[in-house]
Amino acid sequence: MTAEIAHPWPVPPQDGYTVDDLLTLPDLPPHTELIDGSLVFVSPQRDFHSIAIDLLLSGLRRTVPADFRVRREMTVVIDRRNGPEPDLIVVRAAAVRSLTQTYYQARDVLLAVEVVSPDSESRDWNTKPHKYANAGIPHFWRVEMASTDERPVVDVFELDKPVVDVFELNKETRAYVPTGTYRDRLKLSEPFDIDIDLTEIDKL
């Protein structure tokens, strides 16, 4: 007879977890996120996810202005109960304080990029863009794998003007508006000059 191994799943506090918990709880799985006070664990990623991030990371670093930096898979603190982890971010260089830091504030993020996986589709299409927009992150990219050639398809968004909530007159909401969908080549002038050959993924 073999003894069953008990898994020590974390028990959430009554009011949910906070960013402080996310940053200090021991032994959390890699890339755990905090969404609305709940810990979100990431499933094992497909090869496409990894190499798409590598391709975009390299392309962004080639042309990023000197006062910005590109980072992959770092927590972005939006508020006390939300600490998502975009696949890529472009942040103000002044926000890079130490090689040991584990998060950035949303106010320092210029661009957030999410590469969609089967388990993250709803979050990457709905939850995260909504939170990034309301946090004031100016630019957002959503990256998916094309069903035809398995290359990246990049949907590009920028922040629209704030809108006053009709139900809460003192509250402004923000949203992204699409500016284009890119296949084979991602050539943009905002948020800075970017030119990435998406077909290069075939060589990675």
Side-chain angles (χ1 to χ4, degrees), residues 122-144:
S122 178
R123 294 191 300 274
D124 293 343
W125 271 78
N126 300 301
T127 306
K128 287 184 170 185
H130 173 76
K131 292 185 181 299
Y132 295 157
N134 276 317
I137 296 175
H139 299 271
F140 171 68
W141 297 353
R142 184 179 61 234
V143 184
E144 296 184 277

PDB file of all heavy atoms in Angstrom, residues 122-144:
ATOM      1  N   SER A 122      -9.008  33.594 -22.299  1.00  0.00           N
ATOM      2  CA  SER A 122      -9.998  34.525 -21.755  1.00  0.00           C
ATOM      3  C   SER A 122      -9.327  35.684 -21.040  1.00  0.00           C
ATOM      4  O   SER A 122      -9.718  36.845 -21.193  1.00  0.00           O
ATOM      5  CB  SER A 122     -10.940  33.790 -20.796  1.00  0.00           C
ATOM      6  OG  SER A 122     -11.863  34.689 -20.227  1.00  0.00           O
ATOM      7  N   ARG A 123      -8.278  35.391 -20.278  1.00  0.00           N
ATOM      8  CA  ARG A 123      -7.575  36.449 -19.560  1.00  0.00           C
ATOM      9  C   ARG A 123      -6.899  37.416 -20.529  1.00  0.00           C
ATOM     10  O   ARG A 123      -6.913  38.636 -20.333  1.00  0.00           O
ATOM     11  CB  ARG A 123      -6.537  35.861 -18.601  1.00  0.00           C
ATOM     12  CG  ARG A 123      -7.128  35.066 -17.460  1.00  0.00           C
ATOM     13  CD  ARG A 123      -6.093  34.730 -16.390  1.00  0.00           C
ATOM     14  NE  ARG A 123      -4.978  33.947 -16.886  1.00  0.00           N
ATOM     15  CZ  ARG A 123      -4.965  32.628 -16.990  1.00  0.00           C
ATOM     16  NH1 ARG A 123      -6.056  31.931 -16.649  1.00  0.00           N
ATOM     17  NH2 ARG A 123      -3.895  31.968 -17.407  1.00  0.00           N
ATOM     18  N   ASP A 124      -6.275  36.865 -21.591  1.00  0.00           N
ATOM     19  CA  ASP A 124      -5.529  37.708 -22.528  1.00  0.00           C
ATOM     20  C   ASP A 124      -6.434  38.512 -23.449  1.00  0.00           C
ATOM     21  O   ASP A 124      -6.034  39.558 -23.969  1.00  0.00           O
ATOM     22  CB  ASP A 124      -4.579  36.842 -23.359  1.00  0.00           C
ATOM     23  CG  ASP A 124      -3.463  36.228 -22.520  1.00  0.00           C
ATOM     24  OD1 ASP A 124      -3.242  36.717 -21.400  1.00  0.00           O
ATOM     25  OD2 ASP A 124      -2.831  35.257 -22.976  1.00  0.00           O
ATOM     26  N   TRP A 125      -7.637  38.031 -23.693  1.00  0.00           N
ATOM     27  CA  TRP A 125      -8.578  38.747 -24.554  1.00  0.00           C
ATOM     28  C   TRP A 125      -9.429  39.749 -23.773  1.00  0.00           C
ATOM     29  O   TRP A 125      -9.816  40.783 -24.306  1.00  0.00           O
ATOM     30  CB  TRP A 125      -9.499  37.751 -25.263  1.00  0.00           C
ATOM     31  CG  TRP A 125      -8.971  37.259 -26.563  1.00  0.00           C
ATOM     32  CD1 TRP A 125      -8.015  36.310 -26.753  1.00  0.00           C
ATOM     33  CD2 TRP A 125      -9.368  37.686 -27.865  1.00  0.00           C
ATOM     34  NE1 TRP A 125      -7.786  36.115 -28.094  1.00  0.00           N
ATOM     35  CE2 TRP A 125      -8.607  36.939 -28.806  1.00  0.00           C
ATOM     36  CE3 TRP A 125     -10.295  38.626 -28.334  1.00  0.00           C
ATOM     37  CZ2 TRP A 125      -8.741  37.117 -30.183  1.00  0.00           C
ATOM     38  CZ3 TRP A 125     -10.440  38.786 -29.708  1.00  0.00           C
ATOM     39  CH2 TRP A 125      -9.666  38.045 -30.616  1.00  0.00           C
ATOM     40  N   ASN A 126      -9.721  39.439 -22.519  1.00  0.00           N
ATOM     41  CA  ASN A 126     -10.690  40.256 -21.784  1.00  0.00           C
ATOM     42  C   ASN A 126     -10.134  40.849 -20.493  1.00  0.00           C
ATOM     43  O   ASN A 126     -10.029  42.060 -20.354  1.00  0.00           O
ATOM     44  CB  ASN A 126     -11.934  39.401 -21.472  1.00  0.00           C
ATOM     45  CG  ASN A 126     -12.603  38.879 -22.720  1.00  0.00           C
ATOM     46  OD1 ASN A 126     -13.015  39.640 -23.577  1.00  0.00           O
ATOM     47  ND2 ASN A 126     -12.720  37.556 -22.837  1.00  0.00           N
ATOM     48  N   THR A 127      -9.791  39.984 -19.549  1.00  0.00           N
ATOM     49  CA  THR A 127      -9.446  40.454 -18.205  1.00  0.00           C
ATOM     50  C   THR A 127      -8.228  41.366 -18.195  1.00  0.00           C
ATOM     51  O   THR A 127      -8.274  42.487 -17.678  1.00  0.00           O
ATOM     52  CB  THR A 127      -9.191  39.250 -17.282  1.00  0.00           C
ATOM     53  OG1 THR A 127     -10.322  38.375 -17.329  1.00  0.00           O
ATOM     54  CG2 THR A 127      -8.979  39.724 -15.845  1.00  0.00           C
ATOM     55  N   LYS A 128      -7.129  40.898 -18.757  1.00  0.00           N
ATOM     56  CA  LYS A 128      -5.895  41.667 -18.670  1.00  0.00           C
ATOM     57  C   LYS A 128      -5.937  42.972 -19.468  1.00  0.00           C
ATOM     58  O   LYS A 128      -5.532  44.027 -18.939  1.00  0.00           O
ATOM     59  CB  LYS A 128      -4.708  40.802 -19.082  1.00  0.00           C
ATOM     60  CG  LYS A 128      -4.332  39.748 -18.051  1.00  0.00           C
ATOM     61  CD  LYS A 128      -3.087  39.020 -18.531  1.00  0.00           C
ATOM     62  CE  LYS A 128      -2.508  38.135 -17.478  1.00  0.00           C
ATOM     63  NZ  LYS A 128      -1.236  37.517 -17.923  1.00  0.00           N
ATOM     64  N   PRO A 129      -6.392  42.974 -20.728  1.00  0.00           N
ATOM     65  CA  PRO A 129      -6.463  44.262 -21.438  1.00  0.00           C
ATOM     66  C   PRO A 129      -7.312  45.296 -20.706  1.00  0.00           C
ATOM     67  O   PRO A 129      -6.971  46.482 -20.684  1.00  0.00           O
ATOM     68  CB  PRO A 129      -7.089  43.887 -22.784  1.00  0.00           C
ATOM     69  CG  PRO A 129      -6.766  42.450 -22.970  1.00  0.00           C
ATOM     70  CD  PRO A 129      -6.764  41.846 -21.599  1.00  0.00           C
ATOM     71  N   HIS A 130      -8.404  44.854 -20.118  1.00  0.00           N
ATOM     72  CA  HIS A 130      -9.260  45.777 -19.354  1.00  0.00           C
ATOM     73  C   HIS A 130      -8.477  46.383 -18.189  1.00  0.00           C
ATOM     74  O   HIS A 130      -8.528  47.605 -17.962  1.00  0.00           O
ATOM     75  CB  HIS A 130     -10.489  45.024 -18.848  1.00  0.00           C
ATOM     76  CG  HIS A 130     -11.358  45.819 -17.923  1.00  0.00           C
ATOM     77  ND1 HIS A 130     -12.208  46.816 -18.368  1.00  0.00           N
ATOM     78  CD2 HIS A 130     -11.494  45.787 -16.578  1.00  0.00           C
ATOM     79  CE1 HIS A 130     -12.829  47.351 -17.339  1.00  0.00           C
ATOM     80  NE2 HIS A 130     -12.426  46.747 -16.244  1.00  0.00           N
ATOM     81  N   LYS A 131      -7.739  45.561 -17.485  1.00  0.00           N
ATOM     82  CA  LYS A 131      -6.985  46.054 -16.332  1.00  0.00           C
ATOM     83  C   LYS A 131      -5.798  46.916 -16.772  1.00  0.00           C
ATOM     84  O   LYS A 131      -5.503  47.939 -16.141  1.00  0.00           O
ATOM     85  CB  LYS A 131      -6.522  44.885 -15.465  1.00  0.00           C
ATOM     86  CG  LYS A 131      -7.690  44.177 -14.784  1.00  0.00           C
ATOM     87  CD  LYS A 131      -7.229  43.110 -13.836  1.00  0.00           C
ATOM     88  CE  LYS A 131      -8.434  42.426 -13.199  1.00  0.00           C
ATOM     89  NZ  LYS A 131      -9.270  43.356 -12.425  1.00  0.00           N
ATOM     90  N   TYR A 132      -5.108  46.518 -17.832  1.00  0.00           N
ATOM     91  CA  TYR A 132      -3.998  47.319 -18.332  1.00  0.00           C
ATOM     92  C   TYR A 132      -4.481  48.703 -18.779  1.00  0.00           C
ATOM     93  O   TYR A 132      -3.837  49.719 -18.521  1.00  0.00           O
ATOM     94  CB  TYR A 132      -3.309  46.623 -19.505  1.00  0.00           C
ATOM     95  CG  TYR A 132      -2.627  45.314 -19.179  1.00  0.00           C
ATOM     96  CD1 TYR A 132      -2.390  44.372 -20.176  1.00  0.00           C
ATOM     97  CD2 TYR A 132      -2.214  45.011 -17.887  1.00  0.00           C
ATOM     98  CE1 TYR A 132      -1.759  43.172 -19.903  1.00  0.00           C
ATOM     99  CE2 TYR A 132      -1.597  43.811 -17.600  1.00  0.00           C
ATOM    100  CZ  TYR A 132      -1.369  42.886 -18.610  1.00  0.00           C
ATOM    101  OH  TYR A 132      -0.749  41.699 -18.326  1.00  0.00           O
ATOM    102  N   ALA A 133      -5.623  48.726 -19.465  1.00  0.00           N
ATOM    103  CA  ALA A 133      -6.157  50.006 -19.948  1.00  0.00           C
ATOM    104  C   ALA A 133      -6.527  50.912 -18.787  1.00  0.00           C
ATOM    105  O   ALA A 133      -6.164  52.099 -18.771  1.00  0.00           O
ATOM    106  CB  ALA A 133      -7.366  49.761 -20.854  1.00  0.00           C
ATOM    107  N   ASN A 134      -7.245  50.381 -17.814  1.00  0.00           N
ATOM    108  CA  ASN A 134      -7.650  51.215 -16.683  1.00  0.00           C
ATOM    109  C   ASN A 134      -6.471  51.641 -15.823  1.00  0.00           C
ATOM    110  O   ASN A 134      -6.558  52.630 -15.096  1.00  0.00           O
ATOM    111  CB  ASN A 134      -8.709  50.492 -15.850  1.00  0.00           C
ATOM    112  CG  ASN A 134     -10.105  50.683 -16.401  1.00  0.00           C
ATOM    113  OD1 ASN A 134     -10.488  51.784 -16.792  1.00  0.00           O
ATOM    114  ND2 ASN A 134     -10.871  49.607 -16.467  1.00  0.00           N
ATOM    115  N   ALA A 135      -5.363  50.898 -15.915  1.00  0.00           N
ATOM    116  CA  ALA A 135      -4.147  51.302 -15.200  1.00  0.00           C
ATOM    117  C   ALA A 135      -3.373  52.365 -15.972  1.00  0.00           C
ATOM    118  O   ALA A 135      -2.384  52.893 -15.472  1.00  0.00           O
ATOM    119  CB  ALA A 135      -3.257  50.090 -14.954  1.00  0.00           C
ATOM    120  N   GLY A 136      -3.811  52.665 -17.208  1.00  0.00           N
ATOM    121  CA  GLY A 136      -3.178  53.734 -17.983  1.00  0.00           C
ATOM    122  C   GLY A 136      -1.986  53.294 -18.810  1.00  0.00           C
ATOM    123  O   GLY A 136      -1.220  54.145 -19.294  1.00  0.00           O
ATOM    124  N   ILE A 137      -1.797  51.985 -19.026  1.00  0.00           N
ATOM    125  CA  ILE A 137      -0.699  51.517 -19.875  1.00  0.00           C
ATOM    126  C   ILE A 137      -1.033  51.886 -21.314  1.00  0.00           C
ATOM    127  O   ILE A 137      -2.046  51.430 -21.856  1.00  0.00           O
ATOM    128  CB  ILE A 137      -0.490  50.001 -19.708  1.00  0.00           C
ATOM    129  CG1 ILE A 137      -0.055  49.704 -18.262  1.00  0.00           C
ATOM    130  CG2 ILE A 137       0.542  49.486 -20.707  1.00  0.00           C
ATOM    131  CD1 ILE A 137       0.075  48.230 -17.938  1.00  0.00           C
ATOM    132  N   PRO A 138      -0.221  52.701 -21.973  1.00  0.00           N
ATOM    133  CA  PRO A 138      -0.623  53.296 -23.257  1.00  0.00           C
ATOM    134  C   PRO A 138      -0.786  52.318 -24.421  1.00  0.00           C
ATOM    135  O   PRO A 138      -1.611  52.537 -25.303  1.00  0.00           O
ATOM    136  CB  PRO A 138       0.503  54.292 -23.561  1.00  0.00           C
ATOM    137  CG  PRO A 138       1.158  54.563 -22.250  1.00  0.00           C
ATOM    138  CD  PRO A 138       1.042  53.282 -21.485  1.00  0.00           C
ATOM    139  N   HIS A 139      -0.003  51.221 -24.435  1.00  0.00           N
ATOM    140  CA  HIS A 139      -0.013  50.333 -25.594  1.00  0.00           C
ATOM    141  C   HIS A 139      -0.119  48.876 -25.148  1.00  0.00           C
ATOM    142  O   HIS A 139       0.446  48.477 -24.122  1.00  0.00           O
ATOM    143  CB  HIS A 139       1.258  50.522 -26.434  1.00  0.00           C
ATOM    144  CG  HIS A 139       1.395  51.908 -26.975  1.00  0.00           C
ATOM    145  ND1 HIS A 139       0.874  52.292 -28.188  1.00  0.00           N
ATOM    146  CD2 HIS A 139       2.009  53.007 -26.448  1.00  0.00           C
ATOM    147  CE1 HIS A 139       1.142  53.571 -28.391  1.00  0.00           C
ATOM    148  NE2 HIS A 139       1.829  54.020 -27.361  1.00  0.00           N
ATOM    149  N   PHE A 140      -0.827  48.081 -25.964  1.00  0.00           N
ATOM    150  CA  PHE A 140      -1.029  46.664 -25.667  1.00  0.00           C
ATOM    151  C   PHE A 140      -0.987  45.862 -26.962  1.00  0.00           C
ATOM    152  O   PHE A 140      -1.559  46.276 -27.980  1.00  0.00           O
ATOM    153  CB  PHE A 140      -2.386  46.449 -24.978  1.00  0.00           C
ATOM    154  CG  PHE A 140      -2.773  44.999 -24.818  1.00  0.00           C
ATOM    155  CD1 PHE A 140      -2.071  44.178 -23.959  1.00  0.00           C
ATOM    156  CD2 PHE A 140      -3.839  44.464 -25.528  1.00  0.00           C
ATOM    157  CE1 PHE A 140      -2.415  42.835 -23.824  1.00  0.00           C
ATOM    158  CE2 PHE A 140      -4.195  43.131 -25.393  1.00  0.00           C
ATOM    159  CZ  PHE A 140      -3.487  42.318 -24.532  1.00  0.00           C
ATOM    160  N   TRP A 141      -0.254  44.735 -26.942  1.00  0.00           N
ATOM    161  CA  TRP A 141      -0.243  43.812 -28.075  1.00  0.00           C
ATOM    162  C   TRP A 141      -0.761  42.461 -27.610  1.00  0.00           C
ATOM    163  O   TRP A 141      -0.410  41.978 -26.524  1.00  0.00           O
ATOM    164  CB  TRP A 141       1.168  43.575 -28.616  1.00  0.00           C
ATOM    165  CG  TRP A 141       1.867  44.772 -29.176  1.00  0.00           C
ATOM    166  CD1 TRP A 141       1.373  46.028 -29.395  1.00  0.00           C
ATOM    167  CD2 TRP A 141       3.240  44.803 -29.599  1.00  0.00           C
ATOM    168  NE1 TRP A 141       2.339  46.836 -29.921  1.00  0.00           N
ATOM    169  CE2 TRP A 141       3.489  46.124 -30.061  1.00  0.00           C
ATOM    170  CE3 TRP A 141       4.262  43.858 -29.644  1.00  0.00           C
ATOM    171  CZ2 TRP A 141       4.738  46.500 -30.540  1.00  0.00           C
ATOM    172  CZ3 TRP A 141       5.497  44.227 -30.114  1.00  0.00           C
ATOM    173  CH2 TRP A 141       5.739  45.543 -30.565  1.00  0.00           C
ATOM    174  N   ARG A 142      -1.596  41.849 -28.442  1.00  0.00           N
ATOM    175  CA  ARG A 142      -2.037  40.472 -28.216  1.00  0.00           C
ATOM    176  C   ARG A 142      -1.503  39.614 -29.367  1.00  0.00           C
ATOM    177  O   ARG A 142      -1.723  39.927 -30.540  1.00  0.00           O
ATOM    178  CB  ARG A 142      -3.559  40.397 -28.153  1.00  0.00           C
ATOM    179  CG  ARG A 142      -4.091  38.997 -27.823  1.00  0.00           C
ATOM    180  CD  ARG A 142      -5.606  38.966 -27.755  1.00  0.00           C
ATOM    181  NE  ARG A 142      -6.192  39.346 -29.028  1.00  0.00           N
ATOM    182  CZ  ARG A 142      -7.097  40.307 -29.176  1.00  0.00           C
ATOM    183  NH1 ARG A 142      -7.513  41.010 -28.145  1.00  0.00           N
ATOM    184  NH2 ARG A 142      -7.597  40.581 -30.374  1.00  0.00           N
ATOM    185  N   VAL A 143      -0.795  38.556 -29.033  1.00  0.00           N
ATOM    186  CA  VAL A 143      -0.101  37.734 -30.029  1.00  0.00           C
ATOM    187  C   VAL A 143      -0.695  36.331 -30.020  1.00  0.00           C
ATOM    188  O   VAL A 143      -0.799  35.692 -28.966  1.00  0.00           O
ATOM    189  CB  VAL A 143       1.413  37.663 -29.724  1.00  0.00           C
ATOM    190  CG1 VAL A 143       2.134  36.893 -30.814  1.00  0.00           C
ATOM    191  CG2 VAL A 143       1.992  39.066 -29.556  1.00  0.00           C
ATOM    192  N   GLU A 144      -1.075  35.854 -31.207  1.00  0.00           N
ATOM    193  CA  GLU A 144      -1.623  34.510 -31.327  1.00  0.00           C
ATOM    194  C   GLU A 144      -0.913  33.754 -32.445  1.00  0.00           C
ATOM    195  O   GLU A 144      -0.282  34.362 -33.314  1.00  0.00           O
ATOM    196  CB  GLU A 144      -3.126  34.566 -31.601  1.00  0.00           C
ATOM    197  CG  GLU A 144      -3.908  35.183 -30.457  1.00  0.00           C
ATOM    198  CD  GLU A 144      -5.401  35.136 -30.688  1.00  0.00           C
ATOM    199  OE1 GLU A 144      -5.919  36.022 -31.393  1.00  0.00           O
ATOM    200  OE2 GLU A 144      -6.058  34.215 -30.170  1.00  0.00           O
TER     201      GLU A 144
END
